[in-house]
Amino acid sequence: MMQHQLAIQARFCPEILERILRVARHRGFQICALNMDHTTDSDNVSIELTVASQRSVNLLFSQLMKLVDVAGVEIRNKESQLISA
């Protein structure tokens, strides 16, 4: 299984995290780690998402970019590998 880290910039709204997690689940990605940073003086949120899957991370990337409130997605460490027991 390959592990990928995504940096997501989005407009903060109550349902944005649920939408992102639903897209990841529907596309066959397992959530390994999640970190969200929202400053009170900003309308934006930064989400660091680590996912694992046999599927190409580009599939998840393109689907996340289609979400209305998502401003940008960056694939960080594309080539790391998760060793499963």
Side-chain angles (χ1 to χ4, degrees), residues 4 6 20 22-30 49 51-67 73 75 78:
H4 306 281
L6 303 170
I20 290 169
R22 184 174 356 111
V23 166
R25 180 174 52 91
H26 285 179
R27 296 296 175 245
F29 288 83
Q30 176 185 345
L49 188 62
V51 296
S53 181
Q54 299 283 359
R55 304 178 120 193
S56 169
V57 73
N58 292 327
L59 175 67
L60 181 59
F61 172 84
S62 62
Q63 293 301 311
L64 289 173
M65 287 300 294
K66 292 178 184 178
L67 293 176
V73 179
I75 301 169
K78 269 174 93 159

Side-chain angles (χ1 to χ4, degrees), residues 6-62:
L6 303 170
I8 304 166
Q9 300 296 319
R11 186 178 69 82
F12 180 75
C13 55
E15 66 276 6
I16 189 62
L17 189 56
E18 291 175 44
R19 287 182 183 160
I20 290 169
L21 295 177
R22 184 174 356 111
V23 166
R25 180 174 52 91
H26 285 179
R27 296 296 175 245
F29 288 83
Q30 176 185 345
I31 307 298
C32 300
L34 173 92
N35 185 27
M36 187 172 100
D37 185 26
H38 173 242
T39 55
T40 54
D41 58 343
S42 171
D43 239 10
N44 298 322
V45 64
S46 296
I47 301 168
E48 295 281 337
L49 188 62
T50 304
V51 296
S53 181
Q54 299 283 359
R55 304 178 120 193
S56 169
V57 73
N58 292 327
L59 175 67
L60 181 59
F61 172 84
S62 62

